[in-house]
Amino acid sequence: MVLQAKNWLYETAMESNSLTFAKMGFEGTIQKSSPKTRLNLEATFLLAICYLREQNLEKARELIIKAVDNINNIKSDERRKQFHRRLLERLEDESILVGLIDKSASPLDLAEVDKEAVKLIMNMTERQILIGMGKAIPQKSIDLLSEVRNTYTLRLPASDRKLLPPPLTEDTKEELGKRANSALKRVAWRALCNPESDVYKAWTQGLSVVYDKKYIAGAIAASFNSFSISATMIAASATALAIKFGAEVFCEAFSPNSMMIDRHDKS
């Protein structure tokens, strides 16, 4: 379907932070498709993410409610549960990401990010790094997580509220860290995992130059700076985890998922 293919294109643009182009595309899909179709639902939800990234919370809230109303048209409990989980988890990831954005802050300093990442790698386990990352999530993200969750559940019948995954809270530091790492992979994954890049080729071959030249820390810092994310410990934690996981796990097992769900996908 042409509109479905275009949605993939617009989602790719959104992930590259080309929000104006992505918004125009999703709005076109919404206008050209029936409100009761999955295509329309996905375009509506992805458009909500665009506005969330722009911190236009009023418009994002309006579209989230519209998307939730569309999910109510799905007859299958299993499919509704699948959509609720995918949509809500993605909204939570985006809430964490948006809360980290600070356009008035100074850009990340690569030397500082690398120095802190080395300390984490030498002294902490993956679990400890994730807990530390969870502790470093700003209150702005926590507040947005709560607001998005409340907006999402507002239009749900009681029966569907039981289908939702448990909420993220500031008390669940490890889970919060995991989700922060998941959200931030959307920012840095392409910078590190482009098969044509020198970074990826050297990393997958296990060459020490990747670490000696601060390639991973540099790619993550540059990607974060492009999104106006300037928290040194968050960048250092993401760098440390990428190095601890290794190229294969980071680039393959943890590649960002598309929001659009294939009809044969039951997960």
Side-chain angles (χ1 to χ4, degrees), residues 95-256:
S95 297
I96 292 171
L97 185 62
V98 170
L100 287 167
I101 293 172
D102 184 356
K103 296 186 181 295
S104 64
S106 300
L108 288 165
D109 180 271
L110 174 55
E112 189 67 21
V113 171
D114 185 68
K115 182 180 76 173
E116 295 300 330
V118 170
K119 289 181 183 177
L120 293 173
I121 292 166
M122 297 295 293
N123 299 309
M124 292 192 175
T125 64
E126 291 172 10
R127 182 171 182 270
Q128 289 172 326
I129 294 172
L130 287 169
I131 292 172
M133 184 180 272
K135 290 179 179 178
I137 296 301
Q139 189 62 41
K140 181 180 176 182
S141 290
I142 301 297
D143 293 342
L144 195 52
L145 279 169
S146 177
E147 182 175 348
V148 164
R149 181 85 181 201
N150 290 338
T151 297
Y152 195 97
T153 57
L154 180 67
R155 300 295 287 267
L156 285 180
S159 57
D160 271 22
R161 291 180 188 179
K162 298 176 182 178
L163 303 177
L164 302 181
L168 277 180
T169 70
E170 58 183 322
D171 297 325
T172 53
K173 299 301 184 186
E174 183 177 1
E175 187 59 30
L176 197 55
K178 288 179 181 178
R179 295 295 294 282
N181 195 41
S182 172
L184 292 166
K185 285 193 183 86
R186 295 190 173 277
V187 176
W189 188 86
R190 286 172 177 78
L192 287 172
C193 299
N194 179 356
E196 303 302 317
S197 72
D198 292 338
V199 177
Y200 179 81
K201 291 175 182 177
W203 194 18
T204 53
Q205 291 171 17
L207 301 183
S208 61
V209 67
V210 173
Y211 312 107
D212 294 340
K213 297 295 185 181
K214 305 182 180 68
Y215 282 164
I216 293 177
I220 287 177
S223 298
F224 282 19
N225 282 335
S226 72
F227 273 73
S228 299
I229 295 172
S230 56
T232 298
M233 287 310 299
I234 294 288
S237 297
T239 300
L241 288 169
I243 292 172
K244 278 181 172 287
F245 285 137
E248 183 176 352
V249 172
F250 184 89
C251 291
E252 295 180 25
F254 293 133
S255 61

Side-chain angles (χ1 to χ4, degrees), residues 4-37:
Q4 184 71 66
K6 287 183 176 181
N7 260 9
W8 287 104
L9 171 64
Y10 306 141
E11 184 181 28
T12 300
M14 182 188 76
E15 297 291 21
S16 299
N17 222 26
S18 299
L19 298 180
T20 300
F21 175 76
K23 286 194 303 181
M24 290 175 62
F26 292 134
E27 286 167 355
T29 298
I30 291 168
Q31 291 171 5
K32 295 173 184 177
S33 58
S34 168
K36 293 187 177 182
T37 62

